[in-house]
Amino acid sequence: MAAPVLRWCCPARRWILANIDRGPRHGRGSPTGSRSSGKRGRSSVAQQPLVTAQKPRKGEHQWAAVVGLEIHAQISSNSKLFSGSQVHFAAPPNSLVSFFDASLPGTLPVLNRRCVEAAVMTGLALNCHINKKSLFDRKHYFYADLPAGYQITQQRLPIAVKGSLAYSVCVGKKRSQVINKTVRIKQIQLEQDSGKSLHDDLRSQTLIDLNRAGVGLLEVVLEPDMSCGEEAATAVRELQLILQALGTSQANMAEGQLRVDANISVHRPGEPLGVRTEVKNLNSARFLAKAIDYEIQRQIEELENGGEILNETRSFDYKLGCTVPMRDKEGKQDYRFIPEPNLPPLLLYDSASLPAGADPQQVINIDQLREQLPELPSVTREKLVQQYGMLPEHSLTLLNEVGLLEFFQNVMKETRAEPKKVTSWVLNTFLGFLKQQNLAVSESPVTPSALAELLNLLDQKAISSAAAKKVFEELWRSGGKTPAQIVSEKRLELMQDQEALEQLCQATMEEHPQVVMDLKKGNPRAINKLIGLVRKATLSRADPTVIKEMLEKQLSS
């Protein structure tokens, strides 16, 4: 089915609605490989001083680091920004290329309405001012995977400006302290993606795939309000969650749907800002943090050894864990920005300025899109804290791990256990097993129903905590069995014969008189020794709390 897009109608000098490719709003894009060329030109970012928040290494206490980010998110649309070509991940090379994408003479851009709506919704979610009038520009640079020789972007007057992104960083030895931070957003602009250059070293040739050429991007420019890799990576992760909640981008970094360029400089506090370098095309939050921290330390060491920092573009070699030079930084004048002659100003409206009798399909209403905004991650976290009484850092983890919040909520639906206990099992035991084996939540052999059943057995005091962990390990190793079946097969149920347990406690005390004497002398650890001996005799089938009560009763009698 055709999707409505805005087309410029020259005689009347206004936008009219065109219909092209309609389908699911979640398109998929092509990934950015380590040797593939990505976006070249980037907006300049004014830098502000901030002192590094990381534990200082050699010489770092004398320096302040400044980090700004330029983030490119692929818009979830079934067609490209200015053409009707489909957007699909991993499609055969050059199979999704229209005449306009290939820049054939006489072809004209047709603006995709869905991409405009995505930009407005993203701007609203990030507290931006939405410009009711925005302009398109041509940004010239010459590479084989940019067939037109220019990129259509929004340099002069972007669609959204002056926003903010709030994020939280966990600090402390146990990362139990949450610090709330905010980074300013300079602007959000619509622009085209480039094609992809595939370098074949074996044959000494470069192949061009234009499937990605013309795919709609949101460029989000963050002001340099960050000072280390962890802050930058956390801010990007928060933006990723917001984009996914909005549905404006799938923001899958592994598939190249979210790419980050980092602008980094260092200077001594009180002195002018230093020369910055740009590290380009980072498609992993972990690599982003590593690249920024390495580049900060590299610049500090270079300056302390009497060298100078070059205004250059660098890339991050994840195998070596360092940044390497790519080319000198192009100045803004090199791009020769000019107004895009084939696209008029993009006009948006709110309820107050909407023309009387306007066709809703021909205009975009900002207020209408504002009403459609879904619940954002920050609100979800607040609800988790209020509803389940969990710690803020736990709510952060639940949202940051893909699929973990849904897993937690499904467990809560099927168990009678306290939320605090469910949170502990999901974040410590379950997540620990996932990370140990490098698995995603969707790949877990333990289902929410199985964990809920296990927690019910524990809540009913049918098994001990130690037995519950053994059951979980068995669930992880051998899928298909229920917790109840494993408990029965392994004979892990708690002892119900209280008389037999009392006799066992008495026998243990008689066999270890020295431990009993230490306990009577006031050694609090002695009781734990006795509890451990009784549990060992019961093959961990006795409740430690019940054992302690029986021991104390027998000692006092």
Side-chain angles (χ1 to χ4, degrees):
M1 183 177 176
V5 296
L6 299 175
R7 181 191 292 276
W8 175 239
C9 183
C10 294
R13 293 195 63 79
R14 59 184 177 88
W15 291 98
I16 64 170
L17 192 67
N19 287 321
I20 60 174
D21 161 60
R22 181 66 157 181
R25 288 193 172 186
H26 298 284
R28 298 166 69 102
S30 185
T32 305
S34 58
R35 301 225 44 207
S36 300
S37 68
K39 308 278 306 131
R40 277 92 181 181
R42 299 293 179 258
S43 303
S44 61
V45 180
Q47 299 194 6
Q48 305 291 334
L50 269 169
V51 179
T52 179
Q54 279 204 322
K55 182 179 179 181
R57 289 178 282 184
K58 179 181 177 182
E60 281 193 9
H61 64 283
Q62 303 171 355
W63 297 90
V66 175
V67 179
L69 301 178
E70 296 164 9
I71 304 167
H72 292 83
Q74 179 182 310
I75 299 171
S76 288
S77 173
N78 208 42
S79 57
K80 296 183 180 180
L81 183 57
F82 296 117
S83 79
S85 297
Q86 298 289 304
V87 178
H88 290 297
F89 176 67
N94 295 310
S95 62
L96 303 174
V97 185
S98 70
F99 291 159
F100 177 79
D101 302 331
S103 193
L104 296 186
T107 56
L108 294 173
V110 179
L111 182 58
N112 187 331
R113 180 191 182 100
R114 161 62 183 162
C115 293
V116 177
E117 291 176 339
V120 173
M121 291 181 70
T122 303
L124 292 172
L126 295 175
N127 310 301
C128 291
H129 169 73
I130 306 298
N131 286 323
K132 294 180 181 178
K133 176 182 177 181
S134 58
L135 305 174
F136 288 97
D137 306 284
R138 288 186 180 182
K139 181 180 187 179
H140 293 82
Y141 49 98
F142 302 99
Y143 289 96
D145 54 20
L146 192 71
Y150 61 84
Q151 174 196 45
I152 299 178
T153 182
Q154 291 187 307
Q155 173 68 18
R156 294 171 295 161
L157 190 57
I159 196 167
V161 294
K162 297 180 180 178
S164 62
L165 171 65
Y167 63 99
S168 300
V169 179
C170 295
V171 298
K173 290 184 178 180
K174 296 183 179 180
R175 302 185 67 79
S176 58
Q177 182 183 356
V178 176
I179 297 180
N180 297 320
K181 293 179 175 288
T182 301
V183 56
R184 292 168 297 147
I185 295 174
K186 180 182 180 183
Q187 65 190 55
I188 299 175
Q189 60 196 51
L190 283 164
E191 64 183 26
Q192 299 170 294
D193 205 346
S194 63
K196 190 175 178 184
S197 295
L198 305 172
H199 305 293
D200 187 345
D201 293 334
L202 186 63
R203 298 179 177 82
S204 298
Q205 63 183 5
T206 296
L207 305 176
I208 304 299
D209 180 9
L210 294 180
N211 280 348
R212 199 177 66 184
V215 168
L217 295 179
L218 291 175
E219 179 174 0
V220 183
V221 181
L222 304 186
E223 296 280 16
D225 297 340
M226 296 157 285
S227 58
C228 65
E230 182 181 9
E231 288 185 8
T234 306
V236 168
R237 177 56 180 151
E238 183 68 15
L239 177 61
Q240 186 181 35
L241 290 172
I242 291 173
L243 293 172
Q244 290 169 345
L246 294 171
T248 55
S249 174
Q250 292 184 22
N252 186 335
M253 298 189 81
E255 295 182 1
Q257 295 170 355
L258 193 72
R259 307 193 293 274
V260 185
D261 302 333
N263 294 284
I264 306 154
S265 73
V266 299
H267 65 283
R268 294 188 185 276
E271 295 184 1
L273 298 174
V275 176
R276 71 180 180 185
T277 58
E278 182 181 34
V279 183
K280 297 186 77 67
N281 289 333
L282 295 159
N283 57 5
S284 157
R286 183 163 58 94
F287 292 158
L288 171 66
K290 286 185 176 182
I292 290 173
D293 289 338
Y294 173 86
E295 185 62 19
I296 290 172
Q297 185 64 17
R298 183 193 72 83
Q299 292 186 22
I300 290 173
E301 291 177 356
E302 183 74 22
L303 293 171
E304 289 188 339
N305 291 330
E308 64 175 348
I309 304 301
L310 301 178
N311 183 217
E312 62 182 354
T313 300
R314 302 175 71 89
S315 65
F316 180 66
D317 188 321
Y318 69 94
K319 293 181 180 178
L320 299 177
C322 64
T323 62
V324 294
M326 289 176 63
R327 58 182 180 271
D328 291 340
K329 189 87 174 90
E330 301 104 325
K332 184 184 291 187
Q333 66 277 5
D334 291 342
Y335 297 131
R336 301 188 309 284
F337 285 101
I338 63 170
E340 169 53 59
N342 294 322
L343 289 169
L346 173 59
L347 301 180
L348 307 175
Y349 301 91
D350 56 21
S351 298
S353 61
L354 191 66
D359 184 352
Q361 297 300 317
Q362 300 295 332
V363 296
I364 291 179
N365 188 329
I366 299 171
D367 291 331
Q368 191 176 56
L369 292 176
R370 194 192 308 274
E371 293 173 358
Q372 298 174 10
L373 291 178
E375 180 178 286
L376 296 179
S378 58
V379 177
T380 303
R381 284 192 289 265
E382 289 177 7
K383 286 186 176 180
L384 288 171
V385 172
Q386 294 172 2
Q387 183 177 357
Y388 300 115
M390 66 175 60
L391 297 173
E393 58 267 28
H394 291 163
S395 68
L396 282 169
T397 305
L398 281 177
L399 262 75
N400 284 345
E401 298 292 335
V402 177
L404 192 60
L405 175 60
E406 183 181 2
F407 186 95
F408 169 81
Q409 291 173 331
N410 288 335
V411 174
M412 285 299 304
K413 290 176 184 177
E414 300 185 44
T415 185
R416 294 182 294 274
E418 291 292 322
K420 185 176 180 181
K421 181 172 288 186
V422 177
T423 302
S424 176
W425 271 83
V426 170
L427 295 185
N428 297 327
T429 307
F430 176 73
L431 188 57
F433 270 70
L434 287 176
K435 290 188 174 181
Q436 188 178 12
Q437 300 190 23
N438 196 27
L439 295 176
V441 174
S442 59
E443 299 171 319
S444 166
V446 178
T447 65
S449 297
L451 181 55
E453 183 183 342
L454 175 59
L455 292 177
N456 284 336
L457 291 173
L458 190 59
D459 186 62
Q460 296 163 5
K461 300 189 182 303
I463 56 176
S464 66
S465 297
K469 291 182 180 178
K470 291 182 180 179
V471 174
F472 186 86
E473 291 173 1
E474 189 65 25
L475 282 171
W476 195 273
R477 285 195 298 267
S478 55
K481 293 183 180 179
T482 67
Q485 289 174 331
I486 295 172
V487 168
S488 177
E489 291 175 4
K490 302 290 183 180
R491 299 186 61 193
L492 295 173
E493 62 274 359
L494 281 176
M495 286 183 64
Q496 302 299 327
D497 191 338
Q498 298 297 306
E499 186 178 343
L501 187 57
E502 286 180 358
Q503 292 175 358
L504 192 56
C505 289
Q506 183 64 38
T508 302
M509 292 171 63
E510 292 173 356
E511 292 172 5
H512 299 85
Q514 184 60 47
V515 179
V516 175
M517 189 174 296
D518 290 343
L519 182 59
K520 289 181 177 180
K521 288 180 179 180
N523 183 356
R525 296 183 179 179
I527 189 72
N528 295 330
K529 174 72 173 177
L530 290 174
I531 292 172
L533 291 169
V534 175
R535 293 190 71 238
K536 184 178 180 181
T538 63
L539 301 177
S540 299
R541 292 176 57 208
D543 188 341
T545 305
V546 175
I547 296 173
K548 184 178 181 181
E549 291 174 356
M550 289 184 176
L551 289 172
E552 290 174 342
K553 181 180 178 181
Q554 292 180 13
L555 284 167
S556 62
S557 59

